[in-house]
Amino acid sequence: AIQYCTDSCIVASQEIAKSTGLLNSQLFLIKNLLALREQLSLFDVDFGSDETELDFSHMRDHMRRILRGESSLFALGSSNAVFQLLGNARPRINKMRLDSKKELEKRLKTCCESYIMGVTKLSVDPMLSFITKVTATRVASSRKALKDHAFATPSKLTEIVKTVNEALEGTLPEAITKMRRYLDNPNTHSVLMKPIKSNIAEAHGQIAHLLESEYDAETIEMVPLMEPAKL
């Protein structure tokens, strides 16, 4: 029953994603999985169950050998491909222990991580892309100064930082407002927002370091990078 409820929430969130966007679907799923977890906490019982699964994967290996010509359909005796396939046609029986509560926790953790990364990208994606390009340039051992690359000119970097500032003043507050509409527990807000703020601060820190090490004082003055205290 727990697994069914979890799966139903996931299916519903996928439909929401199609109509109103990914963040809405993630918040919907987080809200409902938290509610389900809260209900389960009222019962001191074992939510584990034993399940049996039929495994046919070994038959795929036989089919691959036949398709690659490693096993002949026309051989006589026990080396014949069809004979070997039929001989191994019985599925293997795998028994496993499924803990519905642990699966719920795993789904909740994955959804929270996806939401955190989604809001982070909404806020500072241009910075993250810039840092990725810088890393690729350094891996390539380019001798050209960073500011001389087309993607990293002072004007380009200024544009990137301005775009991020607009997101931090507009898109991020909207995302926070939406989160509070879905989730009414301040502790949940804190759990989600703490890593988001950390990611945003980390991105700004890396840009600040690049400015100090790769650009001149005039560029540092020109780029409107937010102070850490304002993040």
Side-chain angles (χ1 to χ4, degrees):
I2 299 168
Q3 191 63 43
Y4 176 78
C5 290
T6 303
D7 291 342
S8 297
C9 289
I10 292 169
V11 171
S13 72
Q14 290 169 345
E15 291 301 314
I16 291 171
K18 294 176 185 177
S19 58
T20 61
L22 185 59
L23 287 185
N24 279 311
S25 73
Q26 290 169 336
L27 288 169
F28 169 85
L29 187 55
I30 292 170
K31 176 181 179 178
N32 284 278
L33 292 183
L34 283 172
L36 182 56
R37 185 177 70 174
E38 186 177 352
Q39 291 298 314
L40 294 180
S41 67
L42 302 175
F43 303 95
D44 185 20
V45 296
D46 180 11
F47 293 99
S49 61
D50 295 317
E51 295 197 356
T52 302
E53 181 181 71
L54 298 180
D55 180 12
F56 293 90
S57 60
H58 60 293
M59 295 180 66
R60 290 200 301 269
D61 295 334
H62 284 293
M63 292 301 298
R64 289 193 190 101
R65 284 198 289 272
I66 293 171
L67 293 172
R68 288 197 297 261
E70 296 174 2
S71 186
S72 175
L73 293 168
F74 305 103
L76 299 176
S78 61
S79 62
N80 182 275
V82 175
F83 181 83
Q84 289 182 344
L85 184 62
L86 292 174
N88 292 277
R90 284 184 295 180
R92 296 167 182 162
I93 299 175
N94 296 330
K95 292 185 177 181
M96 66 183 95
R97 179 75 174 171
L98 179 64
D99 190 320
S100 299
K101 191 174 182 179
K102 286 184 179 179
E103 286 298 314
L104 168 62
E105 292 288 349
K106 189 188 300 182
R107 290 284 190 178
L108 180 57
K109 181 175 182 291
T110 300
C111 189
C112 287
E113 289 172 347
S114 296
Y115 174 78
I116 289 165
M117 185 52 62
V119 176
T120 298
K121 291 192 73 175
L122 275 178
S123 305
V124 293
D125 190 50
M127 284 185 176
L128 299 178
S129 298
F130 179 82
I131 293 165
T132 300
K133 290 176 183 177
V134 171
T135 303
T137 299
R138 288 178 171 174
V139 170
S141 302
S142 174
R143 294 182 180 180
K144 188 191 297 187
L146 179 61
K147 64 182 179 180
D148 293 332
H149 287 270
F151 75 89
T153 61
S155 61
K156 286 283 188 181
L157 184 53
T158 300
E159 183 182 334
I160 287 169
V161 173
K162 283 182 178 179
T163 301
V164 169
N165 288 347
E166 290 172 3
L168 293 178
E169 293 169 356
T171 306
L172 180 59
E174 290 172 5
I176 293 172
T177 299
K178 184 179 291 184
M179 177 189 68
R180 287 172 175 161
R181 283 204 301 264
Y182 274 93
L183 308 168
D184 54 12
N185 190 325
N187 291 332
T188 305
H189 301 164
S190 178
V191 167
L192 293 174
M193 285 306 302
K194 186 175 180 180
I196 291 171
K197 289 180 178 179
S198 177
N199 291 341
I200 291 171
E202 174 67 20
H204 279 72
Q206 291 194 43
I207 296 297
H209 175 72
L210 288 170
L211 275 170
E212 291 175 5
S213 60
E214 301 285 349
Y215 295 87
D216 55 30
E218 183 181 351
T219 302
I220 294 174
E221 186 70 25
M222 180 176 65
V223 175
L225 192 67
M226 281 192 184
E227 296 291 333
K230 294 182 179 180
L231 295 174

